[in-house]
Every structure is written in C-alpha cells, then in structure tokens.
Amino acid sequence: MDVGGTSVRAGVVDEHGSLLDTARTGTPGTEPALEDAIAAVIEELRNRHDGAGGAGEVGAVGLAVAGFVADDRRTVMFAPHLAWRHAPVADRIAKRVGLPVTLEHDANAAAVGEHRFGAARGAHVAVLVAIGTGIGAGLLLEGRLYRGAHGVAPELGHLTVVPDGRACPCGKYGCWERYCSGTALAATAIELLARYPGSSTILARDIAADPGALTGRRVAGAARDGDPIAQRAVAELAKWLGEGLALVADVFDPEIVVIGGGVSESAPLFLDEAREHYAAAITGGRHRPLARIRTAQLGDDAALVGAAALALEARAV
C-alpha cells in the first residue's frame, strides 16, 4: 500500500514484482478514519484474490507512508500530510486485518521496488530521487536500505541549495525541493512572468484567466507547446536538479540515480540538460566515473512493489 496525503493506493503483488490488481480510496483526515480506509482496501483486495484462480492467499501487507518511520518500522513518528503522530500503525493495522504488516517510508519503498525489479536492478549503490510536490529520496548501499540512526534518512529534498532562498514548509529556506519539484516549477514560472510583465504567452494567458490555476504539470505542458517562459522555468529545474545531484554524488558516489515521482513524466524536457549540469558541478567530474541517471521503470507503482517486497522479506525472517 502507498499511503499519501491525497489517496490510499493498494495493489496485490506477486513474488516477481508483478502488480496483479489495484484499489484506491481517498485519504481521510483523522487517525481512526484513515485506518478504517486502509483496512477496507485490504479486505477489498483479499476478497478478490484469496484463493482465486490458484493465485494463493494474500500473506502480508507492506505500508509505504509519506512520513518519518521509526527504525523499528512499526511506528509513524510524523507525517506532514497524514494524521499520525508517534502512532503504532503497523501493529494497529495488523490487529485489524490479521496479517503481518511492514511499515516503510514511501521513497524507501520505491527505491527497493526499482532496485529489485526496475531501473536500479543489481546496482551496489543506488539513489532514488522522487520529484513530485516536493522531493523524497531513498538510498541503497550494497543493496540494503540506509535509514540512518533514527530511521529518517535521507531527507535530500531539504538540503540547502540557496541560502536565505525560498521559504520551505519544513521551516527552512532555500531547500532543494523549493527549486526542483512540481511546486518549484510553478513558482519559477510565476517569478519569470513577474519579471517579464506583458508577456504574451500560454502561461500569461492562463494566469490572467485564473491566477490560482498554474501548476507544475501545466508549466511542463506549456513548455512542450513551445511557451518561452515555461521553457525557461524547465531549464531552471534542470539546472537545480543537476546541481543537487552533484551534491548527493559528492557524498554517496552512487552507481545509479533513479528519477521518479510525477515530475519524471516530463523528463524528456529536462533530463539531458540536468545531466550536463550534474557533470559540470560534481567534484572532479572529468577524472571520475559519473553515476548513470535514469528515469524510474515502475512509475507510480514503485512504492507498491517495493512495499510488497519488504513485507515478503520480513515475513520470511
């Protein structure tokens, strides 16, 4: 399951990483309602699959959560868009549904999915950077997740790239995700439109019609349609993606970086340029191997597949 601020997605996944079926519901705003929704979706899929067609019964649940997960992988300590605060989520859900439950940060789960079955398969050191509303990240060292001393690493989206830069909901200023995300893409476009008033562009007309309608997805679409302001905003995102990946590579020296999240759907607009910025910014770039930078193969399903793989692994221990 992938439990996000907007929706709860669930999938039945086999041991080969194949997604056999999915279900979805909205994300309620209270702890009891959220856990009711999770249990209901699990039961919906179990009813459709337990013993069906010889496929075998559902044997475990993996929960991928957009929040801080304690190192015991039983407790959600904090989730900015979910109701849980220091909540023993895994035990609560396990009691409700009668199945073993494994809890994991959503970006970590996506990194596992891509490492086992996708773009990072077989890599010794791999980083997943999930670019959506913000930036989530997962790190695998010798094929094993690195969670840090307290279970919350790596928060790469909150590396400071512009001191005293844009305000971030985390309370800091100039975080990487404020310059490299869907939200950042829209913010950059708005700044450019203010810098060049009177621009007769697709985005200028959009803002004139509905000032609140501009999103990163809309900016990317306008860039594909040739809008010069949108293309400059995308070029800024490419620059900051490359600069940020150079910082990450200076610390972790990954073999491969996988770019996932919703913004990765527009990767043809920016990824080649980001690779150039990355190669120029990394320390000693002309004298060292550079990480391969690829887009995720599993797309939005990476966290579902990774959570299932982790649940299967925990069940086998």
Side-chain angles (χ1 to χ4, degrees):
M1 304 191 70
D2 187 357
V3 185
T6 303
S7 66
V8 175
R9 296 180 64 233
V12 178
V13 183
D14 69 15
E15 66 271 22
H16 307 294
S18 297
L19 191 62
L20 306 179
D21 194 6
T22 61
R24 180 194 296 261
T25 189
T27 302
T30 67
E31 286 190 34
L34 177 54
E35 290 166 18
D36 285 346
I38 290 170
V41 172
I42 292 171
E43 289 306 318
E44 176 185 345
L45 289 174
R46 289 179 79 183
N47 289 338
R48 294 211 295 255
H49 284 270
D50 276 5
E57 294 186 351
V58 173
V61 176
L63 288 181
V65 177
F68 289 169
V69 176
D71 56 3
D72 64 0
R73 288 194 286 164
R74 312 302 298 165
T75 302
V76 177
M77 297 188 292
F78 170 72
H81 305 294
L82 300 171
W84 291 314
R85 298 291 184 272
H86 295 280
V89 173
D91 293 336
R92 287 179 185 171
I93 299 300
K95 185 176 181 180
R96 290 281 298 270
V97 301
L99 290 170
V101 174
T102 298
L103 196 60
E104 189 53 82
H105 186 281
D106 57 351
N108 282 347
V112 169
E114 289 292 338
H115 186 261
R116 304 279 177 86
F117 305 106
R121 190 178 303 184
H124 294 289
V125 180
V127 173
L128 176 125
V129 178
I131 308 175
T133 302
I135 288 179
L139 169 65
L140 291 120
L141 302 177
E142 298 303 324
R144 297 180 64 84
L145 277 173
Y146 178 77
R147 300 182 181 89
H150 305 103
V152 301
E155 280 294 331
L156 300 183
H158 297 287
L159 292 173
T160 299
V161 295
V162 181
D164 300 319
R166 293 173 181 166
C168 182
C170 77
K172 294 165 56 178
Y173 292 85
C175 292
W176 187 22
E177 67 175 44
R178 293 300 90 195
Y179 295 86
C180 182
S181 64
T183 306
L185 190 57
T188 299
I190 290 169
E191 288 180 359
L192 289 169
L193 287 165
R195 193 181 307 168
Y196 302 103
S199 300
S200 179
T201 69
I202 297 169
L203 294 184
R205 292 193 293 274
D206 282 355
I207 284 188
D210 184 355
L214 196 61
T215 63
R217 188 181 297 275
R218 185 69 189 98
V219 175
R224 280 190 289 269
D225 292 338
D227 183 294
I229 295 291
Q231 289 175 339
R232 288 189 65 168
V234 170
E236 280 290 302
L237 183 141
K239 169 193 165 185
W240 288 114
L241 177 56
E243 295 274 354
L245 290 181
L247 290 175
V248 172
D250 279 343
V251 176
F252 297 119
D253 189 25
E255 180 181 342
I256 187 167
V257 175
V258 178
I259 306 297
V263 173
S264 68
E265 296 172 5
S266 300
L269 294 173
F270 61 79
L271 196 56
D272 285 343
E273 189 173 349
R275 289 186 179 107
E276 293 175 5
H277 285 291
Y278 162 74
I282 193 170
T283 304
R286 294 183 180 181
H287 308 286
R288 62 185 285 183
L290 299 180
R292 293 168 286 145
I293 303 173
R294 295 180 175 174
T295 53
Q297 287 183 8
L298 303 181
D300 287 344
D301 297 332
L304 293 180
V305 173
L310 289 166
L312 183 64
E313 180 181 277
R315 185 183 179 215
V317 172

